[in-house]
Amino acid sequence: MRRVKVSKGIEKYLEERKILVDKALKEFMPEPSGLAGDVIRAMNYTLFAGGKRIRPVLCIAGSEAVGGSADDVVPVACAIELIHAYSLIHDDLPVMDNDDFRRGKPTNHKVFGEAVALLAGDSLLTLAFNLMASYGLDKNGEKKALLRVIDLIASAAGYKGMVGGQMVDISYEGKDPDPTVVEYIHRHKTGALIAASVTAGTILAGGNEEEVKSINRYGQQIGLAFQIADDILNIEGDRNVMGKGIGSDKVRGKITYPSVFGISESKNIQTRLIDHAIESLNRFDERAEPLRDLARYIIKRKG
Ligand code: GRG
C-alpha cells in the first residue's frame, strides 16, 4: 500500500476557512427566543457542537480554484453545513442509527428529546434554503448561477442523493456485502453532498463548463473516498478523536467497503480515488492546490 503525504499547510488553510465559516454561521443563526425557542436551541446545539466544516471549506476552495473568493460563496457554504447538521441529527435518531454520542457530546435527541430533534433537523434543512434564497434576493445579478446551485444542492440532499443513499443503507443492514450496493450507498449518502459543495463553489465563482465538470468529477471521487475513510475509521479509529463509538457498523451489519473488500483493499481503492481526483484537476493552476491537499487530507484524517 502506497503512503499518501499531506501538506502541513492544509491544516492552516482548513483552520482559517473554518473560522470564517463559524463566524458567518453565528451571524446567520437566530438566537433561541420566543415560543418556539426550544427548536432554535436544538438547531444551534448540533450546529455548534464541533465539526470539521469540510463541506463549506470545499465550497470555498471550489470557488478559489477558479479565482473566486470565500465571500462569494459563504452563504451557500453555510447553507450546506446546515443541511449536513440536519442529516446528522436525523441519522442519530433511534429510528435510524440510534446513536447516543457524536463529536464526543450527547446526540441531539438525547438532550432535547426525539420530537424536538426531528423538528430541529427539519428546520435546519429548510433554513438552508431560506439562506440561499435571501442571498439571491440581496445579490445583484448572478441569480442564474445561484438558482443552478440551489437545484444542485437540493438534488444532492434529497432522494436522488443523500436521502436515497440513507434509504439503501438502512434497507441493506444485515444483508450480504455487495460491491454495487455499497458503492451506491456511499456515492449517494455521503458523496453527493460533498460533490455538490465543491461544485457549487466553482459555479458561483463563474467557472466555465469544463471547469465545473472537472471539479464535479473531483468531488465525486473525494466524496466516495471520504465515506470509505469513515468506514475504516469505524474499525481502526480512536474513540477519543472520533467522539463516537467504534465498531458500530459491524454490530449493525452495515454494508461497508471493509465488509465487502477487506481493510487493505479498501485502503487501495481510497488511494486510487484520490489519485483520480487530483488528476481531474490537471487543467487547474496553483489556485487549486488546496483542493489537491484536501483530497489527500480526506483519507489521512483521524476523525
Ligand atoms: C431524511 C429522516 C432523514 C434522514 C436523513 C440522509 C441522512 C439522514 C443521513 C446521512 C448522512 C450521514 C450521517 C452520512 C454519513 C456521512 C458522514 C461521514 C458524516 C460525518 O461527516 P463529517 O466527518 O462530520 O464531516 P463532522 O462532525 O466533521 O461535521
Side-chain angles (χ1 to χ4, degrees), residues 1-5 267-268 271-272 274-275 300:
M1 198 185 332
R2 190 164 52 79
R3 286 177 70 82
V4 175
K5 269 188 89 177
K267 288 182 180 171
N268 291 336
T271 309
R272 281 201 295 274
I274 293 310
D275 287 344
K300 296 304 280 184

Side-chain angles (χ1 to χ4, degrees), residues 9-302:
I10 194 59
E11 279 168 18
K12 188 161 172 270
Y13 179 90
L14 262 169
E15 190 48 36
E16 283 171 2
R17 302 303 181 281
K18 183 174 179 297
I19 290 171
L20 217 120
V21 169
D22 283 338
K23 186 169 166 277
L25 281 171
K26 290 240 158 64
E27 281 163 18
F28 288 133
M29 284 305 288
E31 288 290 329
S33 65
L35 286 177
D38 281 353
V39 77
I40 305 173
R41 202 164 290 113
M43 291 158 76
N44 279 297
Y45 173 78
T46 294
L47 197 60
F48 297 113
K52 299 180 288 297
R53 311 297 194 214
I54 195 83
R55 294 158 191 79
V57 172
L58 279 165
C59 184
I60 294 171
S63 162
E64 291 174 342
V66 291
S69 72
D71 288 345
D72 295 333
V73 301
V74 146
V76 169
C78 288
I80 294 168
E81 189 64 17
L82 300 190
I83 296 172
H84 171 60
Y86 127 78
S87 80
L88 299 182
I89 296 175
H90 282 196
D91 192 54
D92 291 334
L93 283 170
V95 284
M96 295 269 171
D97 277 1
N98 194 16
D99 278 313
D100 293 350
F101 286 93
R102 178 171 291 275
R103 301 161 169 167
K105 298 190 175 76
T107 44
N108 199 289
H109 65 273
K110 283 279 154 192
V111 179
F112 299 96
E114 285 174 43
V116 176
L118 188 74
L119 294 175
D122 291 341
S123 43
L124 281 163
L125 175 62
T126 43
L127 183 61
F129 289 91
N130 277 142
L131 188 54
M132 291 189 281
S134 47
Y135 179 47
L137 292 173
D138 282 353
K139 246 171 99 120
N140 295 320
E142 302 303 326
K143 291 213 177 102
K144 197 156 172 224
L146 188 60
L147 281 175
R148 183 177 173 193
V149 159
I150 294 174
D151 182 56
L152 173 81
I153 293 170
S155 295
Y159 76 94
K160 291 185 217 158
M162 187 169 67
V163 171
Q166 180 79 347
M167 180 67 229
V168 181
D169 181 293
I170 58 173
S171 56
Y172 272 81
E173 273 182 20
K175 301 219 169 111
D176 285 343
D178 178 311
T180 312
V181 173
V182 76
E183 187 175 337
Y184 182 97
I185 293 171
H186 287 24
R187 282 194 184 278
H188 289 77
K189 182 178 81 166
T190 309
L193 194 60
I194 288 183
S197 303
V198 63
T199 310
T202 305
I203 294 173
L204 289 170
N208 65 38
E209 283 314 307
E210 271 308 303
E211 288 169 334
V212 170
K213 228 168 116 189
S214 304
I215 293 280
N216 188 255
R217 197 174 318 119
Y218 159 91
Q220 308 271 352
Q221 280 147 339
I222 63 157
L224 176 55
F226 188 92
Q227 184 57 52
I228 300 175
D230 208 66
D231 290 351
I232 294 170
L233 286 168
N234 197 271
I235 298 170
E236 292 188 337
D238 176 336
R239 190 193 168 87
N240 295 322
V241 183
M242 298 285 289
K244 60 180 185 180
I246 302 298
S248 53
D249 288 345
K250 192 161 183 204
V251 171
R252 287 197 190 105
K254 291 258 188 209
I255 299 195
T256 64
Y257 266 67
S259 76
V260 174
F261 298 101
I263 285 259
S264 173
E265 184 51 17
S266 300
K267 288 182 180 171
N268 291 336
I269 296 171
Q270 250 189 345
T271 309
R272 281 201 295 274
L273 283 163
I274 293 310
D275 287 344
H276 289 144
I278 294 171
E279 267 165 43
S280 306
L281 302 176
N282 274 348
R283 60 167 45 246
F284 293 82
D285 61 21
E286 73 286 347
R287 291 174 302 182
E289 212 43 38
L291 286 180
R292 296 185 184 97
D293 285 337
L294 281 165
R296 296 182 193 104
Y297 161 83
I298 270 166
I299 63 164
K300 296 304 280 184
R301 69 201 164 91
K302 303 272 181 252

